[in-house]
C-alpha cells in the first residue's frame, strides 16, 4: 500500500493530472468503460443483493452517469481561476482564487450502493485533478471484485486504482499520509477513520448517516405522501443512508395514514422476483434488524427469512423513544411510526437526538415549512418527497454533526477535492509609502481611513 501511494504521489508531482484536458479524457474513458461493463457490474450487484437490472440501473448507474456527465460538461468552468475584488490597501493589484488538486486521495466506498457510493466521489476527485486509490467495501465482495478488474486493467495504477481487502488492508491505508480521505459508511467507523487520519493531519470528508425523520402534518396529501414514503423507505430493502428512518405523524390522521400505508405496501408487491427489492447484505445485519422488530408492535410485515436474508417491509406502531428500533440507525426495511399532537413536541423530539443526514416534511403549509427548516439542523432534505435531493448534481450532499462532515456532488464534489489558493498580483512601477517606516500621525490617519475607521 505504501509503495502504491508513493507511485501516485510521484505521478501527481509530475503535473500530468493538472491540465483540464487530461481530466476530461479520463472521465470520458471511465464513462466508456462503465457502459461497456454495465452488464458485468449488474450481475455482480445481483450476486451481492439479488437486485435486478432495472433496480440496479436506477439506484447505481443513473447517479454515476449523472455525475460523469455533469463533470464532463463543467470541468473547464470549475477549474478556472476566478477574479475577485481587491481591497484598497492592496491597490493597485489583481486578486484571484485558483483551484488546485489536493494530491493523492483515498476513497473508501460503502457496501449498500457499492457502485454509486464508491465511484461518484472518485469521479469528483479525478475531475479536480487528483490521483485516486479506491477501496470498495469488502461486504459487497462481488461488486468490489468486478470494480477492481475493470478499473485496474484500464487505468495506470499510478493514477487510479482499486485496492481490495478488509479491515487489515483498510487499516494499513489509513496509516498512510494521503492528501485527503473520503469515507462513506457508519458513524462508529467514521470515528475510527477520523482518529486514524488525525495522526497524519489528513483532512477527511465523512458521509455517515443517522436516524432521518419524516414528519407528516395534518394537511399532508396522504396518497402522495405514502406513495413516496414507501418507495423511498423500501428501495434497496431500506439499506439507504438517506431513507426515512422513522415517521412522526400527527395524531389526528394516524389511523388514516396507517391504512393508506398498508394498502400501498401491499400494492407495491415488494419481492426480489419483481425487481423492486433486495437481500439484506449479510446474516449479521439480518440478525441486527431482526432484533429490532418487536412482533407485538408489528402493524404489517414482520416476515423474516434468514436463509434468503429477506425481511418483508415492516411497519411498527406504538413505538416509544427508548425502544431498540429507535436506538440506532435502522438501515433496513423496518419503519417505526410515532405520533405527535403539537408540532413543537415533534421539533423538540428531533432536536433531542443527533443531527440527522436527512429530514423530510410532508405539508402544504408554507409557514410550517419555514418553521421546520429554520429550527431543525440536518444534512439535506425535501418538502413533500424523499431521497431525490441526493440525485440533484446542483445540490451539495453531506451531513452535519454526527451525520457527517463535508459535502460532495457536482461542483461541491470538485471543491471537496480541491484547495483554493488566494493570489494577489501587484505591479512594481510605483509604491504607496503608508505601510513603510517612519510612521507618523498623517500615515496613521490615512491607514485608518483606508480601513473605514
Amino acid at each position: 500500500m505504501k509503495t502504491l501511494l508513493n507511485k501516485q504521489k510521484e505521478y501527481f508531482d509530475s503535473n500530468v493530472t493538472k491540465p483540464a484536458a487530461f481530466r476530461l479524457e479520463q472521465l470520458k474513458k471511465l464513462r466508456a468503460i462503465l457502459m461497456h461493463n454495465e452488464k458485468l457490474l449488474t450481475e455482480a450487484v445481483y450476486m451481492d443483493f439479488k437486485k435486478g437490472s432495472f433496480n440496479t440501473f436506477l439506484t447505481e448507474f443513473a447517479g454515476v452517469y449523472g455525475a460523469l456527465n455533469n463533470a464532463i460538461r463543467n470541468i473547464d468552468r470549475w477549474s478556472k481561476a476566478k477574479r475577485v475584488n481587491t481591497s484598497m490597501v492592496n491597490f493597485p493589484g489583481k486578486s484571484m482564487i485558483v483551484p488546485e488538486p489536493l494530491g493523492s486521495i483515498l476513497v473508501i466506498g460503502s457496501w449498500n450502493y457499492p457502485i454509486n457510493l464508491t465511484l461518484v466521489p472518485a469521479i469528483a476527485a479525478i475531475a479536480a485533478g487528483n490521483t485516486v486509490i479506491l477501496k470498495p467495501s469488502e461486504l459487497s465482495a462481488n461488486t468490489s471484485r468486478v470494480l477492481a478488474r475493470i478499473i485496474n486493467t484500464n487505468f495506470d495504477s499510478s493514477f487510479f486504482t482499486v485496492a481490495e481487502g478488509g479491515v487489515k488492508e483498510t487499516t494499513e491505508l489509513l496509516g498512510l499520509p494521503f492528501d485527503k480521505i473520503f469515507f462513506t459508511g457508519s458513524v462508529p467507523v467514521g470515528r475510527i477513520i477520523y482518529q486514524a487520519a488525525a495522526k497524519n493531519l489528513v483532512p477527511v470528508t465523512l458521509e455517515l448517516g443517522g436516524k432521518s425523520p419524516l414528519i407528516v402534518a395534518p394537511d399532508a396529501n396522504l396518497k402522495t405522501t405514502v406513495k413516496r414514503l414507501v418507495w423511498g423507505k423500501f428501495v434497496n430493502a431500506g439499506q439507504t443512508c438517506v431513507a426515512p428512518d422513522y415517521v412522526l405523524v400527527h395524531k389526528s390522521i394516524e389511523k388514516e395514514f396507517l391504512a393508506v400505508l398498508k394498502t400501498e405496501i401491499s400494492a407495491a408487491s415488494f419481492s426480489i422476483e419483481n425487481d423492486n427489492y433486495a437481500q439484506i447484505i449479510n446474516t449479521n445485519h439480518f440478525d441486527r434488524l431482526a432484533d429490532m422488530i418487536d412482533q407485538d408492535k408489528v402493524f404489517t410485515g414482520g416476515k423474516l427469512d434468514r436463509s434468503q436474508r429477506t425481511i418483508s417491509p415492516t411497519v411498527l406502531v406504538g413505538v416509544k423513544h427508548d425502544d431498540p428500533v429507535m436506538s440506532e440507525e435502522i438501515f433496513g426495511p423496518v419503519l417505526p411510526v410515532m405520533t405527535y399532537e403539537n408540532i413543537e413536541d415533534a421539533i423538540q423530539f428531533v432536536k433531542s437526538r443527533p443531527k440527522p443526514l436527512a429530514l423530510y416534511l410532508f405539508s402544504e403549509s408554507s409557514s410550517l415549512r419555514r418553521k421546520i427548516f429554520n429550527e431543525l439542523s440536518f444534512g439535506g432534505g425535501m418538502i413533500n418527497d424523499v431521497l431525490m435531493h441526493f440525485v440533484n448534481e446542483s445540490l451539495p450532499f453531506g451531513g452535519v454533526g454526527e451525520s457527517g462532515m463535508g459535502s460532495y456532488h457536482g461542483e461541491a464534489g470538485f471543491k471537496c477535492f480541491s484547495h483554493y489558493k488566494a493570489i494577489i498580483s501587484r505591479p512594481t512601477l510605483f509604491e504607496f509609502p503608508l505601510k513603510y517606516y517612519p510612521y507618523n500621525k498623517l500615515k496613521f490617519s490615512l491607514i485608518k481611513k483606508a480601513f473605514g475607521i
Side-chain angles (χ1 to χ4, degrees):
M1 297 298 181
K2 186 177 181 180
T3 301
L4 182 58
L5 177 59
N6 287 338
K7 285 174 58 181
Q8 290 212 341
K9 284 183 174 291
E10 289 176 9
Y11 192 80
F12 178 79
D13 287 342
S14 72
N15 297 317
V16 174
T17 68
K18 291 184 177 179
F22 173 84
R23 310 177 199 181
L24 189 63
E25 179 185 354
Q26 303 308 310
L27 293 174
K28 288 180 176 179
K29 178 180 177 180
L30 178 57
R31 183 174 61 183
I33 291 167
L34 290 174
M35 291 174 68
H36 180 73
N37 290 280
E38 189 176 304
K39 185 174 183 293
L40 195 63
L41 283 163
T42 299
E43 291 170 350
V45 172
Y46 182 82
M47 293 173 69
D48 286 326
F49 292 95
K50 293 293 187 288
K51 284 169 64 173
S53 56
F54 184 96
N55 203 357
T56 296
F57 185 88
L58 182 68
T59 60
E60 297 277 14
F61 289 103
V64 173
Y65 289 142
L68 278 165
N69 293 337
N70 188 52
I72 289 168
R73 283 195 304 269
N74 293 291
I75 194 168
D76 284 332
R77 177 174 62 84
W78 293 344
S79 57
K80 283 181 180 177
K82 180 182 178 182
R83 284 281 301 272
V84 294
N85 291 333
T86 301
S87 58
M88 282 297 297
V89 294
N90 283 303
F91 180 83
K94 296 178 181 179
S95 299
M96 296 174 291
I97 299 173
V98 182
E100 67 172 5
L102 292 173
S104 301
I105 309 297
L106 172 62
V107 174
I108 304 175
S110 182
W111 57 262
N112 56 320
Y113 293 102
I115 300 173
N116 187 307
L117 297 182
T118 305
L119 287 182
V120 172
I123 290 164
I126 291 170
N130 301 280
T131 63
V132 179
I133 294 177
L134 202 60
K135 170 58 184 69
S137 171
E138 68 275 15
L139 297 186
S140 46
N142 295 289
T143 308
S144 173
R145 190 158 46 247
V146 174
L147 278 174
R149 189 163 80 212
I150 66 174
I151 289 174
N152 293 352
T153 57
N154 286 284
F155 289 94
D156 185 339
S157 63
S158 299
F159 166 62
F160 182 32
T161 191
V162 172
E164 287 196 283
V167 174
K168 178 184 176 182
E169 289 76 13
T170 304
T171 302
E172 185 178 347
L173 285 166
L174 291 173
L176 299 177
F178 284 92
D179 295 293
K180 179 76 179 269
I181 295 175
F182 187 104
F183 169 74
T184 303
S186 68
V187 174
V189 179
R191 295 183 193 277
I192 296 171
I193 302 291
Y194 201 10
Q195 291 171 354
K199 294 177 181 178
N200 289 311
L201 291 180
V202 177
V204 298
T205 293
L206 302 175
E207 298 299 341
L208 307 177
K211 298 187 73 65
S212 298
L214 185 145
I215 301 172
V216 185
D219 66 340
N221 180 326
L222 283 186
K223 184 177 180 181
T224 302
T225 297
V226 168
K227 190 172 191 66
R228 293 173 180 175
L229 162 62
V230 167
W231 173 79
K233 175 61 182 179
F234 298 114
V235 66
N236 205 40
Q239 298 168 113
T240 304
C241 59
V242 287
D245 196 89
Y246 64 96
V247 172
L248 291 169
V249 61
H250 195 271
K251 185 70 174 177
S252 65
I253 58 170
E254 177 190 13
K255 290 184 179 179
E256 185 182 1
F257 170 80
L258 288 171
V260 178
L261 182 59
K262 187 174 184 177
T263 300
E264 181 64 28
I265 291 173
S266 177
S269 298
F270 286 104
S271 71
I272 290 170
E273 291 72 24
N274 289 337
D275 196 9
N276 63 356
Y277 213 48
Q279 285 183 324
I280 306 303
I281 184 63
N282 59 31
T283 53
N284 286 339
H285 282 270
F286 179 94
D287 292 341
R288 180 185 63 85
L289 291 166
D291 289 342
M292 289 183 178
I293 300 173
D294 182 344
Q295 290 294 336
D296 292 335
K297 295 183 177 182
V298 171
F299 175 75
T300 187
K303 295 179 181 178
L304 311 174
D305 188 336
R306 194 172 189 271
S307 65
Q308 295 298 314
R309 303 200 314 270
T310 58
I311 298 174
S312 64
T314 299
V315 177
L316 303 180
V317 295
V319 175
K320 305 300 182 185
H321 69 91
D322 56 352
D323 283 357
V325 76
M326 293 301 295
S327 65
E328 62 180 285
E329 184 179 8
I330 295 170
F331 225 69
V334 182
L335 181 65
V337 175
M338 307 173 75
T339 62
Y340 70 94
E341 293 189 29
N342 187 308
I343 192 61
E344 298 294 345
D345 295 334
I347 290 173
Q348 189 54 45
F349 182 80
V350 176
K351 280 185 175 181
S352 69
R353 310 177 77 84
K355 295 175 181 179
L357 182 57
L359 183 142
Y360 307 109
L361 171 66
F362 283 80
S363 173
E364 302 300 320
S365 168
S366 57
S367 61
L368 178 59
R369 295 173 183 177
R370 285 194 298 271
K371 182 177 181 64
I372 293 292
F373 286 95
N374 285 337
E375 295 188 21
L376 291 175
S377 179
F378 51 91
M382 298 191 74
I383 298 168
N384 293 334
D385 205 352
V386 297
L387 271 63
M388 297 304 292
H389 65 297
F390 179 82
V391 298
N392 187 344
E393 284 287 308
S394 297
L395 291 175
F397 177 80
V400 59
E402 284 195 13
S403 60
M405 62 178 68
S407 59
Y408 72 121
H409 283 191
E411 189 172 7
F414 182 91
K415 291 178 178 179
C416 173
F417 296 104
S418 299
H419 166 64
Y420 283 76
K421 292 187 291 192
I423 298 173
I424 295 179
S425 173
R426 301 192 66 213
T428 58
L429 295 178
F430 60 95
E431 182 67 270
F432 288 109
L434 292 181
K435 67 183 179 185
Y436 299 107
Y437 306 112
Y439 295 152
N440 56 47
K441 289 183 178 180
L442 176 60
K443 287 184 178 181
F444 189 31
S445 174
L446 291 172
I447 284 284
K448 292 183 76 172
K449 285 183 179 180
F451 283 94
I453 305 300

